């Protein structure tokens, strides 16, 4: 969803149920008050595929509720989009990376006192399941069974550049949309954040002495993975596969007095400490008695720190990542263990200084096994994943924590799923998924839900619901597809 050229909401669709594909989501929009105060062109872009097999159409209703009650929470005075700016042609303004150059230039007002960039980015096509990708030299390890694998490693970094200088990085959360890995996981429970993709933030306030000099400055977003060097070590790649959907917003907070107008030229550029990120990798292939590749194991361990300091602000990131992957059974089975964690500190220096501290952790485990015959296709899958955030509070309303004050968030999903498709016939899917959600912010909230085969069997928030056998059959049965990649974008079969 866009207000003009600024993306304000990225969401996705739900899996089918006996009542149709119906869902509702409520989202806080106060962080975009600067846009709501002016006349806007609203663009809601929800892609759909219509064919002789897929005949459904969307009916979307958007309702905005404006409150008359005052609030002490200050929101940004100005919002500048980092986007393709296509609203004039009634199109969404997302960049498609790497084919697009996701760069734009702005002249900041001289009285900008705080500046924060939010980034919305998610992989699609060959990058949708980037966390399961392999190193590029290994993509043809199992071409006779599962086809070509996707490359650039299972590591991704989102980079923000200001005038060509690295201003911050994001190590992304592994979003799994409904239908991903195996459809049975996501009926009716959806993947973490799948209905509201968080937008991580980079505080660029240390750059304000430079950005308020009355000139235009460029802002660019890049997506990179890893590539193998001649000596067998890894370094950041120049690009990734196809493709990432990327936008950003610059939130500016203004003050009457221009705080940087008297800053010496020698102090306008911030001090940046950005050591080369550390990568440790392994790659190993085994062959069966016929000399055919049987297993591929690989791993990535990564660390990065980044510190940017000016006379009034400091921004520090400390990030860690690990992923161990194994493909066996000639590539028909794959497991990935991944953990991303980090600490981010933004501080205003001085007598009235403030400190904003945030830590996060993204654990992920996914195991899929494919069965292929001339007439049938099966998927057996297991997953265990989570999201943990602890924050002391932020300026305005965060697009990442989705609140303005302190937050502690813990959520986990785990379960198993099965999919069976007959060539030219129907398909069935089943699943058992449990979701735990705990949040401590202005109020505390806890909920545990378990769904089996499309029916909620336990819920600590409402009474358990039980579906009839006929209803469950209606949920699980649908027209089949002959390729795993045609349904979830990875695994055996032709590319989607």
């Amino acid at each position: 969803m866009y207000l003009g050229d600024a993306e304000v909401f990225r969401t996705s669709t739900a899996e089918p149920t006996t009542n149709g594909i119906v869902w509702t989501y409520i989202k806080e929009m106060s962080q975009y008050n600067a846009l709501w105060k002016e006349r806007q062109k609203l663009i809601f872009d929800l892609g759909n595929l219509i064919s002789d097999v897929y005949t459904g159409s969307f009916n979307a209703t958007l309702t905005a509720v404006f409150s008359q009650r005052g609030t002490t929470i200050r929101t940004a005075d100005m919002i500048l989009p980092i986007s393709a700016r296509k609203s004039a042609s009634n199109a969404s303004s997302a960049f498609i990376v790497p084919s697009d150059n996701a760069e734009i230039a702005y002249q900041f007002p001289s009285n900008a006192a705080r500046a924060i960039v939010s980034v919305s980015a998610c992989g699609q096509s060959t990058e949708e399941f980037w966390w399961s990708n392999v190193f590029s030299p290994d993509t043809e390890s199992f071409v006779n069974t599962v086809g070509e694998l996707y490359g650039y490693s299972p590591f991704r970094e989102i980079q923000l550049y200001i005038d060509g200088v690295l201003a911050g990085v994001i190590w992304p959360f592994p979003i799994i949309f409904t239908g991903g890995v195996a459809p049975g996981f996501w009926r009716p429970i959806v993947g973490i954040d799948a209905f509201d993709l968080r937008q991580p933030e980079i505080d660029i306030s240390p750059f304000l002495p430079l950005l308020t000099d009355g000139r235009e400055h460029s802002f660019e977003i890049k997506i990179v993975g890893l590539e193998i060097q001649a000596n067998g070590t890894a370094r950041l790649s120049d690009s990734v596969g196809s493709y990432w959907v990327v936008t950003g917003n610059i939130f500016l907070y203004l003050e009457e007095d221009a705080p940087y107008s008297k800053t010496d030229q020698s102090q306008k550029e911030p001090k940046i400490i950005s050591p080369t990120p550390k990568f440790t990798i392994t790659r190993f292939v085994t062959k069966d008695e016929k000399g055919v590749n049987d297993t591929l194991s690989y791993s990535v361990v990564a660390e990065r720190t980044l510190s940017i300091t000016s006379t009034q602000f400091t921004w520090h990131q400390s990030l860690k990542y690990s992923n161990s992957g194994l493909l066996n059974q000639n590539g028909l089975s794959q497991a990935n263990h991944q953990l991303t964690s980090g600490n981010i500190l933004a501080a205003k220096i001085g007598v009235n200084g403030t400190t904003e501290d945030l830590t996060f952790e993204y654990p992920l485990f996914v195991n899929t096994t494919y069965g292929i015959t001339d007439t049938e296709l099966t998927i057996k899958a297991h997953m265990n994943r989570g999201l943990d955030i602890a924050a002391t509070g932020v300026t305005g309303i965060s697009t990442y924590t989705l609140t303005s004050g302190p937050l502690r968030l813990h959520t986990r999903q785990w379960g198993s799923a099965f999919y069976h498709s007959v060539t030219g016939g129907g398909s069935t899917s089943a699943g058992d998924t449990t979701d735990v959600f705990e949040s401590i912010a202005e109020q505390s909230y806890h909920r545990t839900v378990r769904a089996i085969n499309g029916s909620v069997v336990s819920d600590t928030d409402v009474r358990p619901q039980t579906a009839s056998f006929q209803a469950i059959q209606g949920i699980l049965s649908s027209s089949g597809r002959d390729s795993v990649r045609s349904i979830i974008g990875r695994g055996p079969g032709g590319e989607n």
Side-chain angles (χ1 to χ4, degrees):
M1 175 180 163
Y2 296 82
L3 296 179
D5 294 320
E7 184 177 5
V8 297
F9 181 27
R10 185 173 296 189
T11 187
S12 62
T13 58
E15 279 287 289
T17 71
T18 52
N19 297 320
I21 308 175
V22 181
W23 73 101
T24 300
Y25 189 82
I26 300 172
K27 179 175 176 61
E28 170 68 65
M29 286 283 189
S30 298
Q31 59 267 48
Y32 302 105
N33 277 346
L35 300 177
W36 288 113
K37 291 177 181 179
E38 300 178 0
R39 184 178 178 87
Q40 299 285 349
K41 177 183 287 186
L42 191 152
I43 296 175
F44 188 75
D45 180 21
L46 189 61
N48 193 17
L49 172 65
I50 302 293
S51 68
D52 56 346
V53 177
Y54 312 111
T55 59
S57 60
F58 294 133
N59 180 15
T61 300
L62 303 181
T63 303
V65 178
F66 297 91
S67 174
Q68 296 287 340
R69 292 178 296 178
T71 177
T72 59
I73 299 172
R74 184 184 177 186
T75 56
D77 300 291
M78 182 182 295
I79 299 174
L80 306 175
I82 303 175
S83 72
R85 296 194 287 190
K86 296 181 179 179
S87 65
S89 57
N90 296 325
S92 64
S93 294
F95 290 114
I96 304 302
V97 176
S99 58
D100 290 344
N101 182 23
E103 184 176 5
I104 199 167
Y106 285 111
Q107 178 182 327
F108 275 26
S110 60
N111 61 338
R114 193 74 184 262
I116 297 168
V117 175
S118 68
V119 177
S120 186
C122 59
Q124 298 286 282
S125 187
T126 68
E127 290 286 306
E128 181 172 356
F129 303 95
W130 50 269
W131 44 266
S132 68
N133 287 17
V134 301
F135 290 103
S136 295
D138 301 320
T139 56
E140 297 185 357
S141 297
F142 305 104
V143 290
N144 294 327
T145 52
V146 298
E148 185 177 359
L149 303 171
Y150 301 140
Y152 295 98
S153 87
F155 172 86
R156 292 295 178 271
E157 179 175 89
I158 304 167
Q159 303 173 333
L160 174 68
Y161 287 87
I162 298 178
D163 293 338
V165 175
L166 186 66
V169 300
I170 294 165
W171 288 8
F173 176 74
I175 284 287
I176 301 178
F177 294 109
T178 53
V181 180
F185 284 129
W186 318 119
R187 295 172 173 164
I189 296 173
V190 298
I192 297 170
D193 287 357
F195 279 170
D196 189 2
L197 276 67
R198 295 174 193 270
Q199 300 173 29
E201 296 166 318
I202 296 172
D203 195 321
I204 61 169
S205 299
F207 285 86
L208 282 176
L210 175 67
L211 297 174
T212 55
D213 62 1
R215 302 175 182 177
E216 279 200 343
H217 296 271
S218 68
F219 298 82
E220 183 180 8
I221 299 172
K222 293 182 179 181
I223 313 290
V224 299
L226 295 180
E227 62 183 16
I228 303 297
Q229 301 183 93
N231 62 2
T233 61
R235 67 179 180 186
L236 292 173
S237 62
D238 294 327
S239 185
V240 290
S242 176
Y243 55 90
W244 283 72
V245 182
V246 175
T247 66
N249 286 313
I250 307 171
F251 293 81
L252 293 181
Y253 296 80
L254 310 180
E255 292 182 359
E256 289 187 10
D257 298 327
Y260 306 111
S261 59
K262 298 180 180 180
T263 301
D264 293 337
Q265 185 64 37
S266 61
Q267 296 180 330
K268 284 188 178 294
E269 294 187 5
K271 179 182 179 181
I272 301 175
I273 301 175
S274 179
T276 303
K278 298 178 181 179
F279 299 106
T280 303
I281 67 166
T282 64
R283 298 164 53 219
F284 189 71
V285 176
T286 66
K287 300 180 183 293
D288 61 19
E289 64 277 5
K290 297 180 180 179
V292 177
N293 287 348
D294 183 39
T295 70
L296 167 64
S297 59
Y298 57 98
S299 68
V300 178
V301 176
E303 292 186 21
R304 183 195 261 280
T305 60
L306 176 65
S307 295
I308 304 176
T309 305
S310 68
T311 56
Q312 294 195 21
F313 290 98
T314 186
W315 161 257
H316 177 78
Q317 294 181 277
S318 178
L319 306 171
K320 295 182 179 181
Y321 167 94
S322 65
N323 184 305
S324 61
L326 172 65
L327 288 93
N328 57 19
Q329 300 180 34
N330 302 120
L332 291 172
S333 182
Q334 181 172 2
N336 285 89
H337 288 264
Q338 178 171 292
L339 179 63
T340 308
S341 62
N343 175 257
I344 297 173
L345 183 144
K348 183 177 181 181
I349 303 170
V351 178
N352 298 319
T354 58
T355 299
E356 300 171 2
D357 189 79
L358 181 146
T359 60
F360 66 86
E361 190 172 87
Y362 311 146
L364 172 72
F365 167 73
V366 174
N367 182 8
T368 53
T369 301
Y370 308 119
I372 305 174
T373 69
D374 292 338
T375 59
E376 293 180 308
L377 174 68
T378 61
I379 307 173
K380 294 180 180 179
H382 303 273
M383 66 90 186
N384 192 323
R385 57 197 298 253
L387 168 66
D388 288 274
I389 299 173
T392 59
V394 297
T395 299
I397 299 174
S398 170
T399 59
Y400 178 73
T401 67
L402 308 181
T403 185
S404 61
L407 169 75
R408 294 191 67 87
L409 173 67
H410 167 79
T411 184
R412 284 289 186 277
Q413 292 180 327
W414 66 88
S416 59
F418 177 78
Y419 174 82
H420 177 226
S421 176
V422 178
T423 303
S427 68
T428 59
S429 62
D432 184 342
T433 302
T434 300
D435 189 300
V436 174
F437 184 93
E438 298 174 347
S439 175
I440 302 176
E442 293 183 2
Q443 297 178 335
S444 297
Y445 183 79
H446 173 90
R447 187 171 183 177
T448 301
V449 181
R450 184 182 182 187
I452 300 177
N453 296 343
S455 177
V456 175
V457 297
S458 65
D459 187 344
T460 58
D461 195 54
V462 297
R463 289 184 300 173
Q465 304 173 14
T466 303
S468 66
F469 176 79
Q470 290 81 5
I472 293 175
Q473 288 298 103
I475 293 172
L476 302 183
S477 300
S478 61
S479 58
R481 280 176 274 184
D482 300 334
S483 162
V484 174
R485 288 190 177 178
S486 72
I487 187 171
I488 59 173
R490 63 191 287 263
E495 292 188 15
N496 57 342

